[in-house]
């Protein structure tokens, strides 16, 4: 069984669900009366219970799921999809869907806005100017009418930033992974990914129909084993910073194993580009391995505070994927306004290395605050800090109390991570003040102490 439940450890087909509802109609949460169901143990169910089910109707699982959801929502699941009424800054106004109040000024540890760029005045101005010139959407696939001059320039600027021959822009980071993996690999090929790989990597593997294998997280000997015995084409996929754990891969060792087996290497730097490396090019730059990696992938939705994804590499790679990445080819291009904001955010990230310095300073401050409070943070060495609660039953209660203490942070439990691996996933930003870090950490430690997570 995988440590993370989002589909890994070599069991792609059954990654999301392991349990079946053998008879949807007899399921305790299939009650269809007006009164909410009162089945005991509802909190012991999770999404996996509603994945497979008996019956001929394609909608057979909808009513049981709906009933279960209504029952568990007030008990903590409501903490998902709380609408924000403000920019994803270091303080946010968040709607409490339980009380229907908007809670103002919560300290925000939930957004990927690592450099605080999404709401910078320069970025907003660039977006407004593009709306005036281009209107709302791009109204076409990038290969037909959807490419504006802004899109072309963004791709050139990303290639220049990454010091690669070319780059290709996708509508999202998710579609960049799906389109690249399925665009390149075929049935009979082998794709091997780290067991903690993001869902978009896993979905790309499924879509490619290649043989999928997973190696134990950051364990090079296991990668070696998983690559053995396959004569055909091979692709290895790792991440720069792992999104639920905040740790980084040992690149030199991974590169050596890839070379031994003649495998190509792709790195997803969604959380590490613009954060790691002397020039912010990511973990590959930081570990001196940029030329050894064949495909550099990233998103615009994290440090650049916008939306979209990209790959950077050789001209030949980009040219091939321009023709074979269906998730790009058959999807509308990014809105020109988003692209204009991204170009400005990229310029700021390149010209203001002090943003990275401030971020790393804030990371060190928070790591110390949490360590002093006795809070377990796994193997994280980055701005992604998992607060390891490991209490699947009570994480929502803790989350509710942390929320009421004035902190916005997301609980993560199975199936997003493995069973008994529940955590709060903390994101640090360069924009956090020391006071916000201290106040936020103090509130979190106070709640976790009440639950015995730390002393
Ligand atoms: C490692 C990784 N890759 C890809 C993605 C998908 O990126 P996006 O949200 O831009 O579609 C994510 C999203 O969180 C991620 O963590």
């Amino acid at each position: 069984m995988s440590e993370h439940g989002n589909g890994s450890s070599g069991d792609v087909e059954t990654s999301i669900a392991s349990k079946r509802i053998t008879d949807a109609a007899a399921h305790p949460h299939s009650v269809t009366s007006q009164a909410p169901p009162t089945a005991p143990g509802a909190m012991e169910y999770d999404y996996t219970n509603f994945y497979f089910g008996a019956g001929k109707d394609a909608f057979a699982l909808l009513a049981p799921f709906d009933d279960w959801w209504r029952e568990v929502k007030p008990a903590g699941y409501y903490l998902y999809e709380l609408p924000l009424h403000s920019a994803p800054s270091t303080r946010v106004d968040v709607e409490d869907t339980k009380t229907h109040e908007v809670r103002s000024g919560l300290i925000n540890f939930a957004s990927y806005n690592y450099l605080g760029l999404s709401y910078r005045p320069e970025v907003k101005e660039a977006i407004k100017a593009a709306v005036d010139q281009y209107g709302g959407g791009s109204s076409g696939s990038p290969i037909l009418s959807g490419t504006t001059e802004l899109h072309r320039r963004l791709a050139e600027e990303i290639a220049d930033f990454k010091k690669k021959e070319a780059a290709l822009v996708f509508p999202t980071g998710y579609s960049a992974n799906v389109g690249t993996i399925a665009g390149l690999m075929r049935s009979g090929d082998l794709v091997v990914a780290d067991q903690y790989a993001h869902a978009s990597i896993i979905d790309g593997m499924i879509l490619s129909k290649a043989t999928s294998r997973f190696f134990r997280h950051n364990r090079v000997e296991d990668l070696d084993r998983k690559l053995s015995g396959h004569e055909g084409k091979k692709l290895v996929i790792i991440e720069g910073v792992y999104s639920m754990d905040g740790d980084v891969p040992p690149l030199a060792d991974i590169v050596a194993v890839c070379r031994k087996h003649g495998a190509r290497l792709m790195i997803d730097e969604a959380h590490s580009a613009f954060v790691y490396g002397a020039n912010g090019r990511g973990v590959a730059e930081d570990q001196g391995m940029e030329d050894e990696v064949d495909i550099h992938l990233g998103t615009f939705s994290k440090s650049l505070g916008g939306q979209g994804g990209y790959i950077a590499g050789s001209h030949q790679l980009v040219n091939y994927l321009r023709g074979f990445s269906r998730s790009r080819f058959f999807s509308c291009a990014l809105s020109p306004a988003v692209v204009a904001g991204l170009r400005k955010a990229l310029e700021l990230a390149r010209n203001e290395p002090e943003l990275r310095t401030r971020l790393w300073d804030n990371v060190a401050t928070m790591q110390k605050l949490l360590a002093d409070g006795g809070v377990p943070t796994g193997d994280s060495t980055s701005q992604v800090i998992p607060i390891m609660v490991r209490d699947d039953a009570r994480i929502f209660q803790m989350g509710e109390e942390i929320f009421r203490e004035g902190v916005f942070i997301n609980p993560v439990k199975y199936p997003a991570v493995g069973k008994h691996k529940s955590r709060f996933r903390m994101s640090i930003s360069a924009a956090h003040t020391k006071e916000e870090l201290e106040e936020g950490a103090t509130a979190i430690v106070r709640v976790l102490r009440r639950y015995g997570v730390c002393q």
Side-chain angles (χ1 to χ4, degrees), residues 168-188:
L168 200 59
V169 172
F170 289 76
T172 60
Y174 179 94
S175 68
N177 265 321
V178 168
T180 301
I181 301 164
L184 204 56
M185 305 307 280
R186 310 275 175 265
S187 170

Side-chain angles (χ1 to χ4, degrees), residues 112 172-174 177 198 200 239 243 268 270-271 299-302 308:
Y112 301 136
T172 60
Y174 179 94
N177 265 321
H198 187 258
S200 54
E239 293 182 18
S243 59
D268 176 344
H271 296 274
T299 69
F300 295 129
S301 59
K302 322 282 188 235

Side-chain angles (χ1 to χ4, degrees), residues 157-158 161 274 304 342-350:
E157 287 158 3
I158 271 291
F161 168 66
F274 313 104
L304 293 195
L342 290 172
R343 291 186 62 216
K344 181 53 76 178
L346 175 59
E347 185 188 313
L348 295 171
R350 291 183 83 165

